[in-house]
Amino acid sequence: MWTFEIFRFGAENRWWKKIPLLLFSVLCVSSQAQNILSDKAQVSLLTCSPSDGTVYTLYGHTALRVRDTTGIDYVFNYGLFDFSKPNFIYRFTKGETDYMLGVNRYGDFLIDYQMRGSEVYEQVLNLRTDEKNALFRALVVNAQPENCVYRYSFFYDNCSTRPAALVARIVAGRVEYEEYVGKTTFREAINRCTRNHPWLTFGCDLVLGMPADRVMTREETFFLPENVKNVFARARIVREGGVSTPLVSAAAAVVDAVPDDEPDGEPAHGAFTPGLCAGLIFALAAGVTIAERRAKKYFRWFDMLLFTLAGLAGCILYFLCFVSVHRGIWPNISVVWLHPFHLAGVMCFAVKKLNKAAYYYHCINFAALLVMSAGWIFVPQHLNAAFVPLIASLLLRSGYGWTRIKESMR
């Protein structure tokens, strides 16, 4: 989830072959930085549509193109990172991922997206020559080794927000956007992108907390490339004296998208959706509880398995909420039903002498889950439908465990 549009150094997309080209491009651009772009130069916003190839292609991508009759035709891409860096997964999970601005030839950039089946849509910006030069110089400075790295933030600072902010900054005057009347939250925007991937939607709903259910401002919508494209299409530049011109002077698709094999909104990964799997877990929990009641036995293995899985998931969730620096995760009401303390409960279930401790654990867990379930309607956080049977499974087993041990203690 937390990977926006990225290019990894590896055999998967052959970026290891492009490292020399990237360095060469930066050097070439740097050597020409002091030259003035001609009046025929163009600066364009490139928007690449999402594709279902991998998780990081689901959100699309934004880049800036600079071309001139002098032979300059480069794409500046803020979505680069080095997957081979030590402890990359840990740092990414913790929210300490460093992204880079890379430079590539326009033709090579298009080939990458043609291979993915994505549309590449170009919007030529209606900038004056001095503004084009200012933007070009800013990109060149940003592309230098000492400046190219930045701390990535999925919602607030990524490959889509940076080009939009740079364009707004270099315009002599101001960029005036159409009146914003949107009422979309961050979560709704993400779930729209992951609609054909129910497990990814489930994971995002689990780790994203209440901040993700806040309605976005117009500028905050820029974390998704498609939103930048749509807003730019209707934006205007207001210069000194109140003279107003469209921000985009021309627009066209330069690469057509390959039609998606999956119908819109239909899961792409089979019938075993989170909802179905969660329902099966609840059915199993109910079946085991009924069997225990009839046989007057305790199937210890089931509670140990169920609460171990919940505890391990809770460890990950607690790390994201209390250790990572990701914005949009905390506060998160899911920490009430998924937490590491379930693992302590498993220890109580495993040892018969700890029956009394297990009794208190079930009592506290049952009460917490009951209060959370009743109060969720008042909490400004989206409830994924698949959470309901999972919470119900834990509620059922703690409720039954509480009464079962209470009866045995009489």
Side-chain angles (χ1 to χ4, degrees), residues 192-224:
R192 171 65 182 169
C193 296
T194 63
R195 63 192 179 279
N196 291 337
H197 299 262
W199 283 104
L200 183 57
T201 301
F202 175 84
C204 290
D205 282 343
L206 185 61
V207 302
L208 289 175
M210 297 178 198
D213 292 289
R214 178 174 60 79
V215 174
M216 298 180 289
T217 65
R218 177 182 47 237
E219 284 73 17
E220 286 173 338
T221 67
F222 290 173
F223 85 97
L224 289 178

Side-chain angles (χ1 to χ4, degrees), residues 341-360:
F341 305 111
H342 286 314
L343 298 177
V346 171
M347 295 176 62
C348 297
F349 309 153
V351 182
K352 291 183 179 180
K353 291 182 180 180
L354 297 177
N355 257 9
K356 192 170 184 180
Y359 168 78
Y360 287 117

Side-chain angles (χ1 to χ4, degrees), residues 241-397:
V243 178
S244 174
T245 58
L247 175 60
V248 175
S249 61
V254 292
V255 171
D256 292 325
V258 175
D260 195 347
D261 293 334
E262 296 291 335
D264 186 52
E266 186 171 319
H269 297 298
F272 286 97
T273 62
L276 175 61
C277 293
L280 292 175
I281 291 173
F282 177 72
L284 182 58
V288 168
T289 304
I290 293 171
E292 285 180 338
R293 195 71 177 173
R294 289 177 177 175
K296 296 183 179 180
K297 292 182 179 179
Y298 176 38
F299 300 147
R300 195 180 309 273
W301 63 268
F302 183 76
D303 277 351
M304 292 179 65
L305 177 61
L306 178 65
F307 284 86
T308 294
L309 292 176
L312 293 175
C315 289
I316 298 173
L317 184 59
Y318 268 55
F319 176 86
L320 290 171
C321 288
F322 301 116
V323 179
S324 80
V325 294
H326 283 296
R327 299 168 65 182
I329 292 181
W330 177 256
N332 189 338
I333 195 174
S334 288
V335 299
V336 177
W337 68 280
L338 281 183
H339 50 74
F341 305 111
H342 286 314
L343 298 177
V346 171
M347 295 176 62
C348 297
F349 309 153
V351 182
K352 291 183 179 180
K353 291 182 180 180
L354 297 177
N355 257 9
K356 192 170 184 180
Y359 168 78
Y360 287 117
Y361 178 82
H362 280 311
C363 179
I364 295 171
N365 192 54
F366 180 80
L369 292 176
L370 197 61
V371 171
M372 182 201 70
S373 300
W376 201 314
I377 189 173
F378 303 107
V379 176
Q381 180 174 330
H382 171 71
L383 174 65
N384 188 295
F387 295 173
V388 176
L390 295 176
I391 296 171
S393 299
L394 296 171
L395 190 65
L396 173 64
R397 292 307 296 173

Side-chain angles (χ1 to χ4, degrees), residues 131-151:
E131 293 169 335
K132 296 173 190 176
N133 277 284
L135 186 143
F136 185 45
R137 285 192 295 269
L139 288 170
V140 170
V141 171
N142 282 178
Q144 300 308 304
E146 65 272 19
N147 302 324
C148 68
V149 177
Y150 70 98
R151 182 55 52 87

